[in-house]
């Protein structure tokens, strides 16, 4: 019998510790709108499906199923008309209230504008099954009532009336399940977006395939078997009546089976398609890809697993980005691509050391926030300039920075790039941070580059004479015009075009060194 199931919008608050949140008017309004859309779609779909099922049951019972003559047929028709006029409204009212009550937990949290509880998540996901049970029980109850009453009129009417109601109820209830599952997807997606799916909560792919088989083949074939059995027992059944039964049931099984197969296939293919589309987005570099999880079976676990995987990739990328910001992108890439261990190797490198002049006075005369703002502007220029010339910042030391060229990755001409970076840095600092003067020292030569520290905690750095020499040159650079000094070894190792832009001005023995250092400064424009 046609039993439309609707949902109501009565809010029944449920207070559970740790699950409820303050109700937002906007969220509650959005929730009511979603509930109204879903409820309307479910009610129309279920009502139309049951109406078609009732029409099909009536047609099969009157014109299709084989049967001999019935005594006092007019009386039987009249009795059934009276029963239909009484029973159908009762069934509709019962199904409406029963179905509404079964779906109440599925909508309550949304109407209240809060997260669903575990029980409410279960109610959303199991909503189609609950409606299936409501429909099937009412159809079976209808079969019992109508078969009993008609059996009192004529015993042969028991199977002629009860059989189509039972078979029609099975078919209609199964179709209702498949349709309702699709209609409730927005509600399920919203619930699982707020909660989680840690295990299958609905019948899986195999159960759906069996359900589709039962609807498309099992029920019609069972109808044929039962019709053939009764036709063989009742000798007054005509061959034409039996042929009509077989043709109609066969045609119906083809149509209904196709419809059920499409619904069952889409119930599996739609989630898989969403995962495939999400994978395409991730492959294109979009780590913000996220797909809605609206299936409570293992297919839903696949959707949720995709979101968890992308979340892990986002977290890994965030950590890698933070790692690169802390140690430098070159060192981070080296650490990711190769196994990290203590020790190092000798490399020909160039070192650029830059230190702010009179930083102590700056810190004493300006508030800490102003000092930090100046340092950030200063280091922003240093980092950008060094990056532009193929180097990386090994470390920040208070108001100074150490830049390395030629490690961790190999560099074709580290000395040339360091000297060019120094000239560009001096120009940019004078133009962009004029209130922050600095000394720049540049040196080149062999040094050990690698990881220094302990197995539990180490850092990548460079150790050797060029580092010490660049630091000493930086102190001297603070006293010379232009604020920049390079060692003779750095200029000698540079390309001729870059070396011609520098001139020797003095030879000194730096503190802590025994060998003399030839001092070079940028050649003046008129020189």
């Amino acid at each position: 019998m046609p039993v439309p199931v609707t949902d109501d919008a009565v809010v029944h608050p449920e207070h559970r510790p740790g699950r409820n949140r303050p109700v937002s008017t906007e969220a509650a309004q959005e929730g009511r709108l979603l509930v109204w859309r879903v409820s309307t779609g479910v009610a129309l779909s279920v009502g139309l499906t049951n109406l078609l099922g009732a029409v099909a049951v009536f047609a099969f019972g009157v014109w299709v199923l084989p049967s001999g003559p019935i005594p006092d047929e007019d009386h039987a028709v009249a009795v059934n008309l009276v029963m239909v006029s009484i029973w159908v409204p009762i069934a509709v009212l019962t199904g409406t209230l029963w179905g509404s009550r079964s779906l109440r937990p599925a909508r309550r949290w949304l109407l209240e504008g809060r997260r669903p509880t575990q029980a409410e998540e279960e109610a959303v996901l199991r909503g189609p099954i609950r409606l299936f049970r409501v429909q099937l029980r009412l159809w079976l109850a209808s079969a019992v009532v109508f078969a009993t009453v008609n059996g009192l009129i004529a015993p042969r009417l028991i199977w002629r009336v009860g059989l189509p109601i039972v078979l029609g109820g099975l078919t209609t209830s199964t179709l209702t399940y498949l349709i309702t599952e699709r209609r409730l997807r927005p509600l399920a997606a919203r619930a699982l977006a707020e909660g989680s799916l840690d295990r299958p909560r609905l019948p899986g792919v195999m159960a759906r395939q069996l359900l589709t088989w039962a609807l498309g083949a099992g029920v019609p074939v069972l109808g044929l078997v039962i019709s053939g059995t009764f036709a063989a027992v009742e000798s007054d059944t005509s061959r034409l009546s039996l042929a009509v039964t077989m043709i109609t049931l066969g045609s119906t099984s083809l149509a209904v089976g196709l419809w059920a197969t499409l619904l069952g296939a889409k119930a599996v293919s739609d989630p898989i398609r969403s995962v495939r589309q999400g994978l395409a987005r991730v492959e294109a570099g979009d780590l913000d890809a996220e797909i809605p999880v609206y299936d409570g079976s293992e297919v839903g676990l696949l959707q949720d697993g995709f979101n968890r995987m992308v979340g892990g990739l986002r977290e890994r990328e965030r950590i890698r980005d933070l790692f690169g910001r802390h140690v430098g992108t070159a060192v981070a890439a080296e650490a990711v691509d190769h196994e990290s261990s203590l020790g190092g190797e000798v490399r020909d490198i160039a070192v650029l050391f830059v230190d702010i002049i009179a930083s102590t006075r700056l810190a004493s005369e300006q508030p800490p926030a102003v000092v930090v703002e100046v340092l950030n502007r200063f280091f922003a220029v240093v980092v950008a300039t060094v990056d532009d010339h193929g180097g990386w910042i090994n470390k920040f030391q208070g108001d100074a920075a150490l830049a390395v060229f030629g490690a961790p990755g190999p560099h074709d001409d580290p000395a040339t790039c360091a000297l060019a970076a120094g000239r560009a840095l001096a120009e940019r600092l004078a133009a962009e941070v004029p209130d922050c003067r600095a000394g720049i020292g540049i040196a080149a030569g062999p040094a050990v580059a690698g990881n220094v520290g302990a197995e539990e905690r180490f850092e990548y750095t460079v150790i050797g004479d060029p580092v010490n020499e660049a630091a000493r040159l930086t102190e001297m650079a603070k006293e010379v015009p232009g604020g920049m000094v390079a060692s003779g070894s750095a200029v000698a190792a540079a390309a001729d075009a870059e070396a011609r832009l520098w001139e020797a001005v003095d030879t000194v023995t730096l503190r802590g060194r025994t060998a003399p250092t030839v001092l070079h400064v940028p050649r003046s424009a008129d020189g």
Side-chain angles (χ1 to χ4, degrees), residues 102-124:
S102 68
L103 291 180
R104 185 176 298 164
R107 67 179 183 278
R108 184 185 306 157
W109 60 275
L110 194 56
L111 294 171
E112 295 177 359
R114 59 174 173 79
R115 292 182 53 146
T117 65
Q118 180 107 17
E120 288 166 341
E121 287 179 16
E122 292 278 352
V124 173

Side-chain angles (χ1 to χ4, degrees), residues 237-314:
T237 300
S238 67
R239 296 175 58 186
L240 176 60
S241 176
L242 183 59
V244 169
T245 299
M246 297 179 64
I247 293 173
T248 305
L249 281 175
S251 302
T252 303
S253 67
L254 291 176
V256 175
L258 176 61
W259 189 14
T261 301
L262 289 175
L263 290 175
K266 288 183 71 65
V268 176
S269 65
D270 287 349
I272 294 178
R273 184 182 299 111
S274 68
V275 173
R276 182 178 57 81
Q277 292 170 348
L279 288 173
R281 291 175 59 187
V282 172
E283 187 177 5
D286 181 11
L287 294 183
D288 292 326
E290 188 170 348
I291 61 176
V293 182
Y294 50 76
D295 193 290
S297 69
E298 63 262 29
V299 179
L301 289 178
L302 177 65
Q303 293 176 306
D304 188 64
F306 171 83
N307 290 336
R308 291 173 186 264
M309 178 197 71
V310 177
L313 291 176
R314 280 196 301 267

Side-chain angles (χ1 to χ4, degrees), residues 316-341 387 391-394 407-409 450-451 458-461:
R316 178 182 177 185
E317 189 63 26
R318 188 181 73 85
I319 294 175
R320 183 169 183 169
D321 179 65
L322 290 175
F323 184 41
R325 292 174 186 269
H326 280 279
V327 304
T329 54
V331 175
E334 182 77 10
V336 171
D337 296 338
H338 302 88
E339 183 178 355
S340 298
S341 60
D387 283 346
W392 65 281
I393 302 297
N394 177 236
N451 296 311
F458 53 81
E459 69 172 357
Y460 188 92
T461 189

Side-chain angles (χ1 to χ4, degrees), residues 113-383:
R114 59 174 173 79
R115 292 182 53 146
T117 65
Q118 180 107 17
E120 288 166 341
E121 287 179 16
E122 292 278 352
V124 173
L125 295 175
R126 300 187 68 83
I129 292 181
R130 294 187 178 189
L131 290 179
F132 171 80
R133 290 172 178 170
V134 170
Q135 298 293 302
L136 185 58
R137 288 170 183 172
L138 288 171
W139 276 94
L140 292 178
S142 301
V144 171
V145 171
F146 276 80
T148 302
V149 173
N150 280 273
L152 298 176
I153 299 173
R156 69 190 312 166
L157 288 179
I158 294 178
W159 79 270
R160 182 170 180 177
V161 173
L163 176 63
I165 295 178
V166 171
L167 296 181
L170 287 172
T171 303
T172 304
S173 300
T174 305
L175 285 175
T176 298
Y177 171 81
L178 295 173
I179 295 172
T180 306
E181 185 182 45
R182 191 173 186 84
R183 289 291 187 180
L184 287 177
R185 280 182 181 179
L187 211 59
R190 183 72 173 269
L192 291 176
E194 298 287 346
S196 61
L197 184 67
D198 52 0
R199 57 182 175 81
R201 304 183 192 176
L202 286 179
V205 176
M206 181 177 295
R208 285 172 176 162
Q209 295 299 318
L210 291 175
L211 194 64
T212 303
W213 170 85
L215 182 61
V219 172
V221 171
L222 178 61
L224 287 173
V225 171
I226 296 176
S227 298
T229 302
F230 278 102
V233 172
E234 296 179 348
S235 58
D236 53 357
T237 300
S238 67
R239 296 175 58 186
L240 176 60
S241 176
L242 183 59
V244 169
T245 299
M246 297 179 64
I247 293 173
T248 305
L249 281 175
S251 302
T252 303
S253 67
L254 291 176
V256 175
L258 176 61
W259 189 14
T261 301
L262 289 175
L263 290 175
K266 288 183 71 65
V268 176
S269 65
D270 287 349
I272 294 178
R273 184 182 299 111
S274 68
V275 173
R276 182 178 57 81
Q277 292 170 348
L279 288 173
R281 291 175 59 187
V282 172
E283 187 177 5
D286 181 11
L287 294 183
D288 292 326
E290 188 170 348
I291 61 176
V293 182
Y294 50 76
D295 193 290
S297 69
E298 63 262 29
V299 179
L301 289 178
L302 177 65
Q303 293 176 306
D304 188 64
F306 171 83
N307 290 336
R308 291 173 186 264
M309 178 197 71
V310 177
L313 291 176
R314 280 196 301 267
E315 182 67 14
R316 178 182 177 185
E317 189 63 26
R318 188 181 73 85
I319 294 175
R320 183 169 183 169
D321 179 65
L322 290 175
F323 184 41
R325 292 174 186 269
H326 280 279
V327 304
T329 54
V331 175
E334 182 77 10
V336 171
D337 296 338
H338 302 88
E339 183 178 355
S340 298
S341 60
L342 293 176
E345 57 181 338
V346 177
R347 288 177 178 265
D348 287 324
I349 65 168
V351 178
L352 183 152
F353 202 91
V354 56
D355 189 14
I356 295 177
I357 299 174
S359 60
T360 303
R361 186 177 66 185
L362 174 66
S364 63
E365 295 178 353
Q366 300 292 340
V370 174
V371 175
V372 172
E373 189 272 334
V374 172
L375 288 176
N376 286 338
R377 287 193 293 119
F378 172 78
F379 286 130
V381 174
V382 174
V383 171

Side-chain angles (χ1 to χ4, degrees), residues 4-10 94-107 131 134:
V5 179
T6 60
D7 210 355
D8 58 64
V10 179
T94 303
T96 300
L97 296 177
W98 195 357
S100 178
R101 183 178 180 81
S102 68
L103 291 180
R104 185 176 298 164
R107 67 179 183 278
L131 290 179
V134 170

